[in-house]
Amino acid sequence: MDRYERDDKRVPDHIRGITCSVKNCVHNDGQCYCTADRISVGPCTACTCGDTVCATFENKRSEK
C-alpha cells in the first residue's frame, strides 16, 4: 500500500507524530492528523509555544 492508498481509497496519509486540531485546515484529515507533505512552523522570533503558528495552514474555505 503506497502513501496515498488506505482501505481502497486514495487519501493522503498523515505525518507520523504530528497532531492538528484545526478542523478548517485543508491538511487536517478529520481525525486530528496533518496530511501535508511537510510543515513549517514559525515565526523565528517566537519565545513561547503560544507565539508559534503553522505556516502550512490553508483554510478549507479558500479552496476553489
Side-chain angles (χ1 to χ4, degrees):
M1 186 179 310
D2 73 21
R3 185 181 194 302
Y4 293 98
E5 293 177 321
R6 188 178 348 152
D7 300 326
D8 297 325
K9 296 177 187 172
R10 294 193 52 80
V11 295
D13 201 4
H14 64 271
I15 301 173
R16 307 275 186 245
I18 302 294
T19 59
C20 177
S21 60
V22 182
K23 299 291 185 189
N24 65 325
C25 180
V26 297
H27 303 295
N28 186 306
D29 72 351
Q31 297 178 15
C32 292
Y33 290 105
C34 180
T35 61
D37 289 335
R38 57 186 144 319
I39 62 168
S40 176
V41 178
C44 62
T45 57
C47 294
T48 68
C49 64
D51 295 336
T52 61
V53 295
C54 178
T56 310
F57 170 81
E58 290 181 53
N59 193 326
K60 284 182 184 178
R61 293 180 203 111
S62 296
E63 287 184 36
K64 294 182 181 182

